[in-house]
Amino acid sequence: MTVDGKISTRSFSPSLFTSPADKARLQEIRAEADGILVGRGTVAADSMSLGLSRKDLQAQRTAAGKSPAPVRAIVSNSGRFDPRWKVFTNTQSPLVVFSTTQMTTASRAKVAGLCDLRLFEKPRLSLFLYS
């Protein structure tokens, strides 16, 4: 584990150390959120959908006047995505992709119909807020 909480194997493959209880808790945390934000590298390494698979949690969200699952968001400076990734094939909730205008036209075309693509005219995106 790195100082910022990133957990992976030496080869950056998904780590399969979690228990059923951990997975259940992750779903509970996701259910409480309005949105889930991850970086492109995390999505690529972990082959994740960012979805909410538990029907009981979806029902709780709906009963509270929320969408069945939180909005999913990915940040990427490069904009290199594979439209076959689970995050693009799971249509359970809206997916927003934040990238830069450095994203190639070909890459934009591959994912534009699969997400809400937001491009910024900056060389790099930062998750830090500036005052």
Side-chain angles (χ1 to χ4, degrees):
M1 177 187 282
T2 60
V3 172
D4 60 354
K6 294 180 182 174
I7 300 173
S8 188
T9 63
R10 182 171 286 180
S11 64
F12 300 105
S13 60
S15 47
L16 302 174
F17 60 86
T18 188
S19 71
D22 289 341
K23 289 180 181 180
R25 182 64 183 133
L26 173 65
Q27 288 287 299
E28 291 167 358
I29 292 168
R30 282 186 182 175
E32 294 173 1
D34 292 323
I36 303 165
L37 175 68
V38 297
R40 179 230 173 258
T42 301
V43 175
D46 290 345
S47 183
M48 58 178 45
S49 69
L50 298 175
L52 187 58
S53 60
R54 288 183 43 192
K55 301 293 183 196
D56 62 321
L57 296 175
Q58 292 176 23
Q60 286 176 12
R61 286 180 55 89
T62 303
K66 297 180 179 182
S67 62
V71 171
R72 302 165 300 140
I74 306 170
V75 175
S76 171
N77 286 312
S78 69
R80 290 189 304 265
F81 296 102
D82 184 337
R84 296 172 295 186
W85 288 348
K86 285 182 189 178
V87 75
F88 291 110
T89 60
N90 177 336
T91 58
Q92 180 182 57
S93 64
L95 174 64
V96 183
V97 170
F98 299 99
S99 191
T100 69
T101 53
Q102 294 182 57
M103 184 179 193
T104 66
T105 304
S107 292
R108 293 177 198 186
K110 286 180 185 178
V111 299
L114 304 173
C115 64
D116 180 2
L117 183 59
R118 304 287 180 106
L119 301 178
F120 295 85
E121 293 191 28
K122 294 180 168 195
R124 296 190 57 78
L125 295 178
S126 174
L127 297 180
F128 296 102
L129 298 174
Y130 299 96
S131 52

